[in-house]
Amino acid sequence: MKTSTGDDQRQKETPSPSPSPKQYAVVKHLTQNIQPNISSELQLLLLTFSTGIQDATTVPDYHCFSSNQTGNTIFLCLGLVLPHLNGDVFVTANIGISLGLFLGAGWVTGQLSHIIGPRKRWWLFLCNFIQTCLVFAAAAVQYIHGTEIQGPQALSVIGLLALAAGSQVVQSRSLAMTEISTAMATAAWVDLLIDSKILAYHNRPRSRRVAFLLALVLGGFVGAFIYREVGSGTALAVSGAGKFIATVMYLFATAEKDCDEDSVV
């Protein structure tokens, strides 16, 4: 019987192929941390605009918000105390699924961000890509089944949008730009009004809040116009397109400098 000990030994001694410089560059690029800068602000504002479009369609269609959970929280309280208003002023099931999935998505994304790194390029790209797919899926449900205020189709659309929104709002914290929450406007209005330097020429936090509020209002107007003219399915598709652009931008966003580079004198 022939032995293969020599062949096995040579196979063990054969070194595995090392990554090519191109592969190494791709991996390094994807594992870099995104630098919070003007480009990141534009991405968050684009996401805010897309959020405004979504809420402008879910309120008239389903009597709830997909992103603004302040309103949903109050509606949920009303639904528990005044159930006879269900279906006219709000839909309790829709509000419950929106609030619950929003909080769940925010919790999962936030906790994983602590482990992975909140500003890792590949992580931000992946999160935004999944969110984009969820919004397009919601638009597809509306195109196929239409809109009904209650029922499985309504819960599907609201659930998909709430999952996307809950994951999305984590990004303003990840990028250290809490002035652009991408969804909730109340804190931005208050912080803007009480800013002691509201009229100062150089005031970045003030400028971010103003830009955020303008983007949210503009998204609301655009969403309402599209809803009136061609329907909510198209409005959600436009919102998804905006999120897709923001997703692609993460591939080209400026990275933070390495510690070694920062230490060079």
Side-chain angles (χ1 to χ4, degrees):
M1 179 181 292
K2 294 182 179 181
T3 178
S4 59
T5 304
D7 293 338
D8 293 342
Q9 185 66 26
R10 283 192 294 271
Q11 289 178 2
K12 291 180 180 179
E13 292 176 355
T14 302
S16 58
S18 59
S20 65
K22 185 176 181 180
Q23 291 174 327
Y24 176 78
V26 170
V27 171
K28 182 179 179 181
H29 181 73
L30 292 177
T31 54
Q32 289 173 328
N33 289 323
I34 298 297
Q35 182 183 47
N37 55 20
I38 185 65
S39 176
S40 302
E41 292 180 9
L42 291 175
Q43 287 172 276
L44 292 178
L45 292 175
L46 183 55
L47 294 174
T48 300
F49 174 78
S50 300
T51 298
I53 294 177
Q54 292 176 31
D55 276 340
T57 65
T58 56
V59 171
D61 276 345
Y62 307 113
H63 291 191
C64 77
F65 296 92
S66 62
S67 304
N68 180 11
Q69 298 304 324
T70 302
N72 281 344
T73 301
I74 300 302
F75 277 145
L76 186 60
C77 295
L78 291 174
L80 296 175
V81 178
L82 304 171
H84 62 279
L85 296 179
N86 182 48
D88 295 327
V89 179
F90 50 80
V91 178
T92 306
N94 296 353
I95 294 168
I97 199 73
S98 178
L99 180 59
L101 291 182
F102 178 94
L103 295 176
W107 178 73
V108 171
T109 304
Q111 295 304 318
L112 287 178
S113 294
H114 292 312
I115 300 171
I116 297 170
R119 293 203 290 270
K120 290 293 183 184
R121 187 188 305 275
W122 72 266
W123 173 242
L124 289 171
F125 175 83
L126 178 63
C127 288
N128 279 270
F129 180 76
I130 294 174
Q131 295 161 25
T132 301
C133 292
L134 292 172
V135 175
F136 277 127
V141 172
Q142 288 194 334
Y143 275 123
I144 296 172
H145 299 287
T147 56
E148 296 182 3
I149 191 172
Q150 300 185 57
Q153 285 83 15
L155 294 177
S156 297
V157 173
I158 295 166
L160 291 167
L161 295 177
L163 284 171
S167 178
Q168 173 186 294
V169 296
V170 176
Q171 291 177 65
S172 66
R173 274 66 179 173
S174 298
L175 295 171
M177 296 184 186
T178 55
E179 301 90 354
I180 309 176
S181 69
T182 75
M184 289 71 72
T186 303
W189 281 115
V190 174
D191 290 339
L192 175 63
L193 295 175
I194 67 174
D195 192 338
S196 61
K197 300 179 181 179
I198 187 173
L199 299 178
Y201 183 76
H202 294 290
N203 186 343
R204 199 66 176 178
R206 180 275 323 275
S207 299
R208 286 176 176 171
R209 294 186 187 102
V210 171
F212 160 66
L213 293 169
L214 289 176
L216 188 64
V217 170
L218 181 59
F221 274 119
V222 171
F225 178 80
I226 298 175
Y227 177 88
R228 185 187 68 184
E229 298 299 322
V230 290
S232 52
T234 302
L236 291 182
V238 173
S239 175
K243 289 182 68 65
F244 177 75
I245 294 173
T247 300
V248 174
M249 289 175 66
Y250 275 117
L251 295 177
F252 305 97
T254 304
E256 292 181 339
K257 292 183 179 180
D258 296 333
C259 295
D260 293 340
E261 294 178 0
D262 293 338
S263 61
V264 176
V265 178

